């Protein structure tokens, strides 16, 4: 069964600290993995996308890693800011015949950054 | 600025009533999608459309209907057959092609039952 599991479910950190969010998946055939940031009451915004051959992808203070062998990904946030408070969603894409990609969404990690 | 506009932001439905959620995009994207988001769960696909006048059911299409008469518009109707419609509804769009997947999301419509 295609599944995406994220941990922790929620996390509280102090402003300026680093944190790492985890994503484990059992999706096949794997196409790519994307991390989204979703502010409360808003739509998700893409942070990074990685294909099978990519190990690391950065976007400012956000760095995503991918280990396709163990089917794990992480999102590392450096020097957190209050504006980083949001839900972070891991999405894995499975490619099927005809070029259609099916997306499997994780439930997200809710991050709260406190001053 | 290009983007996706969803309206209304909040919507209330009475028993036995159909309601329609609007989704408009000016990104010139061919494909559009509707997702439902419930607390503690990942987004689930309701319907998607890869081209005008064509659409396919997603994983949870029962109780919903869509139309795609224009490239820019993909309205979703929540019918009275949907017994648990309270959720956050997200519309998305993407370019067509081999990497056909949502790239842009709207800011959602929150639907509640009166």
């Amino acid at each position: 069964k295609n599944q995406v599991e994220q941990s922790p479910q929620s996390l509280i950190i102090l402003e300026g600290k680093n944190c790492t969010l985890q994503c484990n998946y059992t999706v096949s055939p794997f196409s790519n993995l994307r991390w989204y940031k979703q502010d409360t009451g808003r739509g998700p915004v893409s942070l990074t996308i990685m294909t099978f051959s990519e190990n690391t992808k950065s976007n400012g203070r956000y760095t995503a890693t991918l280990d396709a062998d163990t089917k794990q990904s992480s999102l590392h946030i450096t020097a957190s800011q209050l504006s980083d408070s949001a839900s972070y969603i891991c999405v894995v894409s499975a490619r099927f015949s005809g070029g259609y990609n099916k997306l499997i969404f994780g439930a997200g990690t809710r991050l709260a950054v406190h001053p | 600025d290009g983007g996706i506009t969803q309206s209304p932001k909040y919507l209330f439905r009475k028993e036995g009533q159909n309601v329609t959620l609007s989704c408009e995009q000016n990104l010139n994207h061919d494909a559009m999608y509707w997702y439902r988001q419930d607390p503690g769960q990942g987004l689930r696909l309701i319907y998607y459309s890869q081209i005008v006048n064509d659409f396919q059911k997603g994983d949870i299409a029962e109780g919903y209907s869509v139309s795609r008469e224009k490239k820019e518009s993909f309205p979703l109707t929540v019918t009275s057959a949907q017994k648990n419609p309270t959720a956050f509804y997200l519309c998305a769009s993407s370019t067509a092609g081999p990497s056909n997947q949502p790239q842009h999301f709207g800011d959602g419509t929150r639907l509640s039952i009166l």
Side-chain angles (χ1 to χ4, degrees), chain B residues 52-114:
Chain B
V52 174
N53 291 324
D54 187 49
F55 48 83
Q56 286 79 40
K57 293 181 179 180
D59 299 319
I60 55 166
E62 186 175 349
Y64 301 97
S65 66
V66 294
S67 63
R68 186 85 188 277
E69 297 176 3
K70 298 187 300 181
K71 186 176 184 178
E72 304 78 25
S73 179
F74 191 40
L76 173 74
T77 297
V78 183
T79 74
S80 57
Q82 173 48 247
K83 298 306 179 187
N84 183 23
T86 298
F88 190 52
Y89 290 88
L90 287 160
C91 178
S93 71
S94 73
T95 56
S99 60
N100 186 2
Q101 58 184 290
Q103 296 175 0
H104 296 265
F105 283 85
D107 277 338
T109 292
R110 187 166 299 280
L111 176 62
S112 303
I113 297 298
L114 278 179

Side-chain angles (χ1 to χ4, degrees), chain A residues 3-7 21-27 33 35 70-74 90 92 106:
Chain A
Q3 281 187 313
V4 175
E5 302 285 343
Q6 292 188 242
S7 62
L21 313 180
Q22 300 291 342
C23 174
N24 296 340
Y25 62 92
T26 56
V27 175
L33 184 147
W35 283 93
T70 62
K71 298 188 177 181
Q72 295 180 325
S73 176
S74 66
C90 176
V92 181

Side-chain angles (χ1 to χ4, degrees), chain A residues 6-11 21-22 86-89 107-111:
Chain A
Q6 292 188 242
S7 62
Q9 207 170 33
S10 62
L11 182 62
L21 313 180
Q22 300 291 342
S87 287
Y88 292 84
I89 302 172
T109 292
R110 183 172 294 276
L111 174 65

